Amino acid sequence: MNQKQVRSIFLVFFLIGMLFSANAAEIWVSVHGNDINIGSKSSPLATVQMALRKAREMRRLKDSSIKGGIHIIVMNGTYYLEEPLFVRPEDSGTTESPTTIEADINAKPILSGGLEIKNWKKSTIAINGLKKGVVWMADAPEKAGEIINYRQLWVNGKKAVRAKSTSGNQMDRILSWDATSQTCWIPFKDKSVKFELGMELFIVQWWAIANLRIKNIEVKKDSARLSFEKPESRIQSEHPWPAPWISKNNGNSAFYLNNGISMLNEPGEWFLDKKNAKIYYIPRTGENMASAKVIVPVLENLVKVEGTLDTSVHHFNFKGISFQYSNWLRPSQQGHVPLQAGMYLLDAYKLKTPGTPNQASLENQAWVGRPRAAVEVNYANNTQFESCSFEYLSSTGLDFHRGTNHNTIKGNLFKDIGGNGITLGVFSEEAFEAHLPYTVKDDRIVCSDEVVSDNLITNVANEDWGCLGIAAGFIKNLTIEHNEISDVAYSGISMGWGWTHTENVMHNNKILANKIHHYAKHLHDVAGIYTLSSQPDSRIEENYIDKVYNSPYPHDPFLWLYLYTDEGTQGFTIKNNWIPIQKILKNNNGPTGNIWQDNNQFVSATIKENAGIRASFSSLKKEVVIDEAWGLQEMPKSVAIELIGKNFDIEKIKSTIKGFRIVGEELYQWENHLVIYGLMNQPERTKRKLALAFPTLEIKIYEKPVYDFQNFERCKDSKPASEWENIVLTANLVQDEKLQKEYVDYHTTQFEKWPEIAKGFCNADFQQLQVFKNGRQLMLIISIPKGENLDKLNPKTTENNPRVDNWNAIMKKYQTGIEGTKPGEVWMFLKKL
C-alpha cells in the first residue's frame, strides 16, 4: 500500500468520525439555565429532568441528530432535586446511540437531595448548663406545613453527631434484656438525661446494630428500664439472631441513647426540635456558623432507573456525576432491626421445634426488607456508572436490585455513606423466608453479568454499622475486581445469601484483585471477604486483605477474620489471596466443599502490588479514608500453653478455649503434659479461663521465643509451603543458671555467629523453628511442609554442613530431660491429638 492510499483511507475514517461526532446530540444543563431554553451550550436548560425529557422526545420522534448518541452535558454546580430523577424504558438508547448524562469538562455537577440550613444564630439562653452562645440555632425548614424530618446533618462536608448520651466514641453496656416483657435495663446515673418523644436506643448486637424508638423510660435509682415502640419492640425481642448479648467475659451489648435535647452537650452534636421548629448545634473547633455550609438530607432517593421485566432500561450511562445528600427515615418511623448486611427484619421469631424442609436444624425464621438507596436500578441492562461520586448519603449508595444484567460500575467514589456502598441482587423478597434457597421460573429476574471494578469505597456503613463496602445477595456471573475498600464498620465484601448449601440461582461469581483494609471498625464476626451458600464455579483470588481496626464494642473480640466462608458456602476456589496470617473461618460449609490454596503472606508480592484500583482511576486514591486514631488489632503471635496434670478432658479443653479463636490451634500430649499451640492474642486471658475451668492443673505460657527461624526471612529464593505440619518437643535446661544464660546467648546471636545453622534449616526445608522458654523448660516447635517427614528432612541440616554437628554437640551440655523422662532422654516428642 502506497503513501497516497494510506492518506486516502485515513481521510475516509476521519470523515466518518466527524460524521458520527456531528450526529451525536448534545443537551446542556446549567444552574444558571432555564427549562424554557433550547438546551444548547449557550442556551442551557436548568434541570436534568427537563434535559432527559427532551432526549426522550428526540428518540420518540426519531430525530436524525441522535444517530451517534445523546449527551446530556451538565455544567458545574449543585442541582437541588425536589423529586427523584426517573429514568424510564423510553429513555433507553442503543449500542450505537446510548444516552449519557455526563459532567462538562473539568466540572463536578452535583445532584443533591439535600437542603441548606442558613441564618444560624447564637442561642440567647443557656442550654443544658452550657454558657449562652455555645449552642447555635436555626429555624427548622418546613414543607407543606410540616417540619422536614432527617437523621443526619453535615457541616462543611463533615457529618455532625445526633445528640447522644455518651461522650465521643464511648458506649455504655446494657444490664439485661427481658424478651418476655420486651424491655431492657440500662445503667442510668446521669439524671440530666430526660425522656423525650423521639428518643432512640442504638444497640450493638453481634454482627448488626438496632435502632429502637423508646416508648418509655422508668428510672429506679441508678438504673432504668426501657420499653419500645412497635413493631421493633416485638421483632427485637422475638428474633434469635443477632440478639443483645450478656457476657461476663467480654461485656454486655454496647449502647447509647440519642435524639434528645437533654443530651446535647458536646461539640459536633445537633438536635432537631420539631416542637419549637428549631435546629440546635454545638460547633466544633474552627467552625464559623456565620459562614458554615450546613446541609440536611430531604429526598430518600435521588435517581431511579426503573424498567419492567419485558421492557428494560438499556444503554443509558452516567459519567462524572456526583450524587449527594440522601435521606432515610424508616428507623424514625418503624425502627430498624437488621438481620445482616443492613436488610431489616419485617418479621422474625425462633421456631419452638427446629427444622425446615431445607435445613433440619434451622431455628431462625426471618423475613427482610431492603433499605432505600440514593440511586436505585431495577430491570436495566447495558448501563454504566463511570467516574461518578456517591457522598454524604444516609443509607445505600448505589443499588442494582432486580432484573439487572450486563451493567458496569467502574471508577467511582463511594464515601461517607450510612449503609452499604454498593448493593447487588435480591436479598430474599419480602414474602420469602431469608434462609430458603432462592430459585426463579424466569431467569431474567436475577441480577447477573455485572462488573464492579476500580471503585474506591471508603468511610461507609457509618450509620448502620452492620453494612458493607459491597453487599451482593442472590446473584450470578458477578465480577467484583480491582476495587479498594477502607474504613468500614463491618466487612469489606459480602457475597451470597440464604445460609444454605441447597442449589439456588447463584453461580460463577468472582471476587478478584481487590484491596481491602482498615475494616471491622465497630463490629466483629467479620471478614475482609465473607460468603454464604452454594455458589458453584465461583472464585476468590488475588485479593489483598490487611489491617483490621481494633473495636472496643464487639461481643467476641477475637472473631475478626480475613476470609470467612459461612454457612452453606461451597463451590468456591479460594487461592493466592495475600493475608498477613491464616486467620480464616470455614463455618458449616456445604458438603461439596471449596478449594483452598496459597492464602497467606507468602504469595507473590505482585499480588499486593496489583490489587486495588488500576492506573486509569488512580486519582481516586487521594480520597482514601483511614482513621489512624482508632487503632489496629494486635496480630496474634505464636504461643504455647502447657497444661500439666492427669486425666485431661480434651473436649472440655477445646470448648473452653474456643472463644479465643486461636489461629492454627493444635493440641499435643506427652504423658501428663498437654500443649495448646497456635497464634494467639492475650494468652494470659486464655490461661485464666483454663485455670477457672481446671483448677487442679498447672498451667504455663510459652511466648516471645528466644529463637525464631522463619523460612521466608532466612532462605533466599525459597517459597514457603502453603500448608505446614508442626512437631512439638519439650526439654529442660540444666539447673545451672550461668549455663542457662549461655544457652540463651547462643540462640540470640546464632544468626550472626552461626549462619550455617539457618542454612541447614533452609536445606531441610524447615518452614519455621521456634524455641520458647518458661523457667528452665523449653518448648521447641519445628514446622515442615505438610506431607513431609521430620526423619527424612532432618539429616539434610548437616549435609556438607559440619558446623551443625558442632552446634548440636555444644547444645547437649545445656539440655536435659523434663521430669518423667528416662536417663539419657532429652527432647520428648508430644503426640498430636
Side-chain angles (χ1 to χ4, degrees):
M1 185 179 293
N2 60 40
Q3 193 172 7
K4 184 176 180 180
Q5 289 173 314
V6 171
R7 281 199 302 269
S8 298
I9 292 173
F10 173 79
L11 182 61
V12 169
F13 278 103
F14 177 77
L15 291 173
I16 290 173
M18 290 291 290
L19 178 64
F20 275 96
S21 177
N23 285 339
E26 292 183 352
I27 304 171
W28 288 77
V29 181
S30 168
V31 291
H32 306 296
N34 192 311
D35 277 349
I36 65 173
N37 289 346
I38 62 172
S40 66
K41 187 173 184 179
S42 59
S43 182
L45 300 172
T47 66
V48 178
Q49 283 92 335
M50 187 57 70
L52 186 58
R53 182 187 296 185
K54 184 176 178 66
R56 188 181 306 133
E57 286 300 288
M58 293 173 78
R59 290 202 181 277
R60 183 179 69 86
L61 298 173
K62 297 181 173 57
D63 192 301
S64 61
S65 68
I66 67 170
K67 185 176 181 181
I70 301 176
H71 298 268
I72 298 174
I73 303 172
V74 190
M75 298 183 191
N76 201 49
T78 300
Y79 299 80
Y80 291 99
L81 304 176
E82 295 186 358
E83 60 181 325
L85 177 67
F86 193 174
V87 182
R88 301 169 170 85
E90 291 83 0
D91 300 317
S92 299
T94 66
T95 303
E96 298 78 17
S97 175
T99 295
T100 303
I101 298 176
E102 62 190 89
D104 190 12
I105 297 172
N106 298 322
K108 185 182 178 180
I110 299 168
L111 299 186
S112 173
L115 177 68
E116 186 172 357
I117 308 298
K118 299 180 179 180
N119 301 318
W120 289 86
K121 298 176 182 178
K122 290 184 178 181
S123 173
T124 57
I125 60 172
I127 296 176
N128 296 339
L130 301 171
K131 293 181 180 179
K132 295 179 182 180
V134 171
V135 179
W136 287 65
M137 56 191 295
D139 292 333
E142 299 182 8
K143 187 172 184 178
E146 293 187 4
I147 300 294
I148 297 174
N149 196 15
Y150 35 86
R151 300 174 60 83
Q152 294 78 26
L153 177 145
W154 283 266
V155 180
N156 295 332
K158 185 174 183 179
K159 184 183 287 185
V161 178
R162 217 171 177 211
K164 62 185 181 67
S165 60
T166 57
S167 300
N169 292 317
Q170 295 178 2
M171 298 183 77
D172 288 328
R173 302 277 178 170
I174 68 170
L175 299 174
S176 64
W177 193 283
D178 187 338
T180 302
S181 64
Q182 301 176 10
T183 58
C184 173
W185 281 96
I186 63 169
F188 203 79
K189 295 180 180 180
D190 184 359
K191 300 303 188 294
S192 68
V193 176
K194 306 297 182 185
F195 172 65
E196 304 169 50
L197 291 175
M199 280 179 64
E200 296 180 7
L201 172 74
F202 179 94
I203 184 170
V204 174
Q205 39 198 33
W206 299 67
W207 56 85
I209 56 90
N211 304 94
L212 308 173
R213 296 171 299 159
I214 299 172
K215 184 177 182 179
N216 187 45
I217 297 179
E218 178 188 352
V219 180
K220 290 190 176 181
K221 295 184 179 180
D222 286 342
S223 302
R225 184 169 69 171
L226 310 183
S227 57
F228 307 98
E229 300 287 356
K230 295 185 183 301
E232 66 266 35
S233 178
R234 176 185 58 79
I235 293 171
Q236 168 73 0
S237 289
E238 285 190 350
H239 82 285
W241 304 103
W245 76 84
I246 305 296
S247 170
K248 292 181 180 179
N249 292 321
N250 303 327
N252 299 343
S253 277
F255 82 94
Y256 57 72
L257 309 178
N258 69 0
N259 197 37
I261 194 170
S262 65
M263 296 178 282
L264 182 70
N265 54 24
E266 278 193 323
E269 287 190 335
W270 69 280
F271 175 72
L272 171 60
D273 183 350
K274 295 180 186 176
K275 182 178 180 181
N276 297 304
K278 298 292 182 184
I279 309 172
Y280 298 99
Y281 177 68
I282 303 177
R284 298 180 175 101
T285 301
E287 290 178 340
N288 180 357
M289 297 309 294
S291 58
K293 188 170 186 178
V294 181
I295 305 288
V296 296
V298 179
L299 294 184
E300 292 196 310
N301 175 235
L302 310 184
V303 176
K304 193 177 189 108
V305 181
E306 187 84 19
T308 69
L309 184 61
D310 295 313
T311 311
S312 64
V313 176
H314 54 88
H315 298 96
F316 194 101
N317 307 317
F318 291 86
K319 186 173 183 179
I321 304 298
S322 182
F323 307 96
Q324 295 186 359
Y325 299 108
S326 66
N327 203 359
W328 190 46
L329 292 176
R330 191 180 192 279
S332 298
Q333 298 162 348
Q334 299 183 62
H336 180 57
V337 185
L339 174 61
Q340 191 165 307
M343 303 299 149
Y344 54 82
L345 291 166
L346 299 166
D347 195 8
Y349 54 86
K350 184 176 181 177
L351 295 171
K352 291 182 179 179
T353 303
T356 67
N358 178 55
Q359 299 182 58
S361 61
L362 184 68
E363 63 174 8
N364 191 7
Q365 295 283 277
W367 292 261
V368 299
R370 189 184 192 95
R372 296 303 305 271
V375 178
E376 298 176 348
V377 183
N378 284 281
Y379 297 109
N381 63 75
N382 294 286
T383 70
Q384 182 167 288
F385 288 82
E386 179 181 349
S387 299
C388 297
S389 64
F390 299 76
E391 299 178 89
Y392 317 123
L393 306 174
S394 300
S395 186
T396 305
L398 176 60
D399 187 350
F400 277 74
H401 183 185
R402 186 186 291 106
T404 66
N405 62 83
H406 295 92
N407 301 292
T408 302
I409 305 166
K410 70 175 181 178
N412 304 286
L413 171 66
F414 295 83
K415 185 177 181 180
D416 193 353
I417 294 175
N420 296 320
I422 303 171
T423 305
L424 303 118
V426 168
F427 281 76
S428 304
E429 306 286 0
E430 290 193 358
F432 191 83
E433 206 283 314
H435 300 86
L436 294 174
Y438 186 60
T439 58
V440 294
K441 292 183 178 179
D442 193 328
D443 207 40
R444 293 176 298 168
I445 294 173
V446 181
C447 180
S448 68
D449 298 278
E450 315 286 31
V451 175
V452 182
S453 68
D454 297 283
N455 302 284
L456 173 61
I457 303 167
T458 188
N459 183 19
V460 298
N462 58 31
E463 290 277 337
D464 184 342
W465 292 352
C467 289
L468 307 105
I470 302 174
F474 286 110
I475 36 74
K476 64 177 183 177
N477 303 325
L478 171 65
T479 300
I480 300 174
E481 62 181 3
H482 285 284
N483 302 282
E484 180 168 353
I485 300 174
S486 77
D487 203 57
V488 186
Y490 182 51
S491 294
I493 298 173
S494 173
M495 174 101 74
W497 195 249
W499 294 267
T500 174
H501 64 262
T502 305
E503 183 179 352
N504 60 81
V505 299
M506 295 186 290
H507 64 84
N508 190 34
N509 296 312
K510 297 174 284 293
I511 303 175
L512 311 173
N514 299 281
K515 180 179 180 180
I516 304 168
H517 59 102
H518 293 89
Y519 61 97
K521 190 171 185 178
H522 295 130
L523 304 183
H524 277 190
D525 205 346
V526 63
I529 297 175
Y530 171 91
T531 63
L532 276 172
S533 300
S534 178
Q535 302 182 49
D537 303 316
S538 294
R539 296 158 50 203
I540 301 173
E541 298 179 8
E542 299 190 1
N543 299 282
Y544 168 35
I545 309 173
D546 196 8
K547 295 183 173 58
V548 181
Y549 278 126
N550 184 21
S551 172
Y553 314 129
H555 67 290
D556 187 341
F558 304 105
L559 188 48
W560 55 270
L561 309 152
Y562 298 109
L563 297 166
Y564 187 174
T565 52
D566 203 1
E567 297 196 35
T569 297
Q570 63 184 16
F572 277 91
T573 297
I574 306 163
K575 70 177 184 179
N576 292 331
N577 296 287
W578 193 99
I579 54 178
I581 57 172
Q582 290 184 317
K583 202 166 193 306
I584 61 178
L585 181 59
K586 308 169 187 178
N587 181 46
N588 195 24
N589 290 177
T592 63
N594 304 290
I595 298 170
W596 292 81
Q597 181 181 335
D598 292 330
N599 302 287
N600 50 47
Q601 70 272 43
F602 309 125
V603 297
S604 171
T606 59
I607 287 176
K608 289 179 68 173
E609 296 164 4
N610 294 337
I613 298 167
R614 290 170 286 197
S616 298
F617 299 100
S618 60
S619 62
L620 285 170
K621 295 180 181 180
K622 68 180 184 293
E623 299 286 349
V624 171
V625 173
I626 297 172
D627 192 344
E628 298 287 2
W630 199 253
L632 298 175
Q633 282 287 350
E634 177 188 356
M635 295 297 290
K637 301 292 193 298
S638 294
V639 178
I641 297 180
E642 182 184 26
L643 287 69
I644 304 169
K646 296 180 179 179
N647 302 320
F648 297 117
D649 185 335
I650 302 300
E651 292 307 313
K652 185 178 178 182
I653 290 171
K654 289 181 178 179
S655 174
T656 302
I657 63 176
K658 182 179 180 181
F660 294 95
R661 312 289 173 181
I662 299 170
V663 179
E665 173 191 309
E666 293 177 337
L667 273 62
Y668 300 82
Q669 186 176 2
W670 178 79
E671 302 291 344
N672 62 333
H673 296 260
L674 187 141
V675 171
I676 304 164
Y677 175 73
L679 302 180
M680 304 184 198
N681 290 108
Q682 304 179 25
E684 284 290 347
R685 190 173 171 185
T686 310
K687 178 184 175 181
R688 288 196 299 271
K689 186 84 177 287
L690 286 164
L692 287 172
F694 304 96
T696 63
L697 299 180
E698 180 186 355
I699 304 175
K700 299 166 67 176
I701 295 177
Y702 298 79
E703 56 181 332
K704 298 179 182 177
V706 298
Y707 179 78
D708 190 2
F709 165 85
Q710 297 293 330
N711 182 291
F712 73 96
E713 292 177 344
R714 302 291 173 181
C715 304
K716 186 179 179 181
D717 300 325
S718 174
K719 182 183 178 183
S722 59
E723 295 185 85
W724 300 355
E725 291 183 357
N726 298 314
I727 294 95
V728 178
L729 305 92
T730 188
N732 269 345
L733 291 175
V734 295
Q735 290 186 341
D736 188 317
E737 291 185 2
K738 180 181 177 182
L739 293 179
Q740 292 177 23
K741 184 178 183 303
E742 284 183 16
Y743 177 87
V744 172
D745 290 343
Y746 263 111
H747 283 80
T748 302
T749 60
Q750 188 219 74
F751 291 122
E752 293 75 31
K753 295 183 178 180
W754 293 76
E756 297 85 356
I757 310 305
K759 180 181 178 183
F761 295 158
C762 292
N763 292 340
D765 204 19
F766 287 0
Q767 302 298 296
Q768 172 182 259
L769 191 147
Q770 295 178 312
V771 180
F772 298 90
K773 177 177 174 291
N774 184 319
R776 68 187 187 97
Q777 187 174 345
L778 303 174
M779 199 67 64
L780 171 63
I781 314 294
I782 303 174
S783 304
I784 62 177
K786 188 173 183 179
E788 286 288 359
N789 182 281
L790 183 62
D791 291 337
K792 172 187 170 185
L793 297 179
N794 198 45
K796 295 182 181 181
T797 62
T798 59
E799 287 181 3
N800 302 314
N801 197 356
R803 269 205 110 193
V804 176
D805 289 324
N806 296 339
W807 171 272
N808 291 335
I810 293 171
M811 290 302 109
K812 286 182 179 179
K813 72 175 182 178
Y814 300 110
Q815 301 161 355
T816 186
I818 64 172
E819 183 180 350
T821 57
K822 297 176 183 178
E825 290 181 332
V826 180
W827 287 103
M828 300 308 301
F829 285 79
L830 284 81
K831 181 181 178 182
K832 184 177 178 181
L833 299 181

